[in-house]
Amino acid sequence: MRVILAHKFFRLTGGAELFFLETGRVLAENGHDVAYFSTTHPENIPTPWNKYFIDPPAYDSQSLVSRLDSMRHIIYSQKAKLSFAKLIRDFKPDVIHAFGIFTHLTPSILEAAHDADVPVVMSCNDYKHICPNYKIYDGQRLCEDCKGGRFYKATLKRCCKGSFSFSLASTLEAYIHEKKQVYDTLVDLYLFASEFMLEKTKEFWPTKNVQYEILKNPFNAKQYQPVYQGNYALYFGRIICEKGVDHIISAAKDISIPIKIVGDGPDFQKLYDEVVRHNLSHIEFLGPLWGEDMNQILYGSRFVIVPSIWHENFPYVIFQAFAAGKPVVGSFRGGIPELVGTDRGLLFEPNNDGELAGQLKSMWHDVDGCRRMGKLARDYVVTQFSDKIFYKSLLSKYKAVIV
């Protein structure tokens, strides 16, 4: 089988990119021919397919003219369509697997696939297909104001990057894609990693006649050594409002558990200053860490905190925690409860800092229970997210759309 994988980035920036690249790895290791379509970037992974890649839109440019010109291309990119059509002609795929294509590649590439009569499956790792700002979170609270096609709400709230112009462009993008029936006619099968995202999509699309399936993300747990003990609680990831790191700080004011925070982001300095101001000496900010440095910090933890206040899909930090034998204290948001379950950690209401503090204390003081949950977590990710299981599921999805 010959497969084209399309995603906006061809470098590792987060969980969505890891899923995209891991899908290609698994397919190639099982004997399939895989081609890629993405955007150019100096840090891209080397690939012979980069001759088909397009330049990303310059919507962050300091030039107003460049930004305005880019706004046209984030809605519909003729350049992407033409380049993708050439890749289809040259590679002759049996199926196309689209991932995060909006803004950078745009659904114009789906039109190219439709014109060439090649079936398309799309993995949705965020909420862009139903929400102009990707998150159904407006920066302050969970938000479904655009449900029912009321995309103008995004412009009124300026919820896309906090920018009026970008919010307006995202609003127009949503209306145009709806008008062109992008979601109804250009994708043969939608794939979701979590039951939550699938059900939320159905809520937003009650009248669309589309096909849905679950495809759980692959994860190579054997890269990690399980260590069923530790001396601190750990958060690692982006330090940004929707990740809920501020709730860790608030909860920690009432407890003395040692907590390490790994990562960087727009809220780093604000939260660091708050820790200093309140003399929370049991909280330590380590900044961003990667690779083996990150692994060593993970191995030294007793459990991992995932306090997101937006509806995360299937955060890879949970897979990493589980693979290292660490249970998770996670919020009741998105796909997090599906992963944590009832025996791989503890859950809390994300806006209840008192409940978070209580769950942190319970996990910290129950050393035997923490170790037991860590072993169950490790077993879960090894047995349920292996390459073999993922490949079998993925192949069945592809075969379902190939006529």
Side-chain angles (χ1 to χ4, degrees), residues 37 65 89 131 134-135 140 143 170 188 194 199 203 207-208 226 248 262 292 313 318 350 357 364 370:
F37 188 70
V65 174
R89 289 194 301 272
C131 171
Y134 292 84
K135 299 174 183 176
Q140 301 293 327
C143 172
S170 298
D188 296 277
S194 70
E199 294 303 320
E203 286 180 25
T207 61
K208 290 191 188 303
I248 297 177
V262 174
E292 191 57 30
N313 184 26
I318 295 182
W364 180 258
C370 191

Side-chain angles (χ1 to χ4, degrees), residues 142 196 306-312 318 328-338 340-342 345-352 355-356 359:
L142 296 177
F196 179 88
V306 183
S308 297
I309 57 176
W310 76 293
H311 285 308
E312 293 255 24
I318 295 182
V328 165
V329 175
S331 61
F332 280 107
R333 283 290 186 265
I336 294 173
E338 294 174 44
V340 174
T342 59
L346 301 174
L347 295 165
F348 67 96
E349 288 296 336
N351 292 313
N352 189 330
E355 185 177 358
L356 171 56
Q359 297 294 57

Side-chain angles (χ1 to χ4, degrees), residues 196-211:
F196 179 88
M197 185 177 282
L198 186 153
E199 294 303 320
K200 185 59 65 176
T201 299
K202 288 181 178 180
E203 286 180 25
F204 274 71
W205 287 354
T207 61
K208 290 191 188 303
N209 183 25
V210 297
Q211 298 299 311

Side-chain angles (χ1 to χ4, degrees), residues 19 24 73 90 95 151 157 159 206 230 251 268 285 295 299 333-334:
F19 177 36
H73 298 294
D90 293 348
V95 65
F151 304 122
K157 301 180 75 169
C159 62
F268 179 93
F285 284 88
N295 287 346
Y299 294 149
R333 283 290 186 265

Side-chain angles (χ1 to χ4, degrees), residues 80-126:
K81 181 178 180 179
L82 292 174
S83 187
F84 195 62
K86 186 176 188 307
L87 174 58
I88 292 173
R89 289 194 301 272
D90 293 348
F91 186 69
K92 298 179 175 57
D94 298 298
V95 65
I96 289 162
H97 192 160
F99 293 78
I101 64 169
F102 298 99
T103 303
H104 291 70
L105 301 178
T106 79
S108 67
I109 70 169
L110 304 181
E111 287 191 353
H114 187 267
D115 293 344
D117 198 27
V118 181
V120 173
V121 301
M122 176 179 282
S123 284
C124 298
N125 293 307
D126 56 41

Side-chain angles (χ1 to χ4, degrees), residues 14 17 21 36 71-72 81 85-86 112 133 146 152 155 165 190 198 204 269 277 279 286 295 320 328 341 361 364 369:
E17 288 68 46
L21 294 169
Y36 294 95
M71 292 305 174
R72 295 187 299 113
K81 181 178 180 179
K86 186 176 188 307
N133 83 350
C146 288
Y152 64 90
T155 300
S165 60
Y190 288 94
L198 186 153
F204 274 71
Q269 194 60 50
R277 186 168 60 253
N279 194 29
L286 301 181
N295 287 346
Q320 291 171 272
V328 165
K361 286 193 292 186
W364 180 258

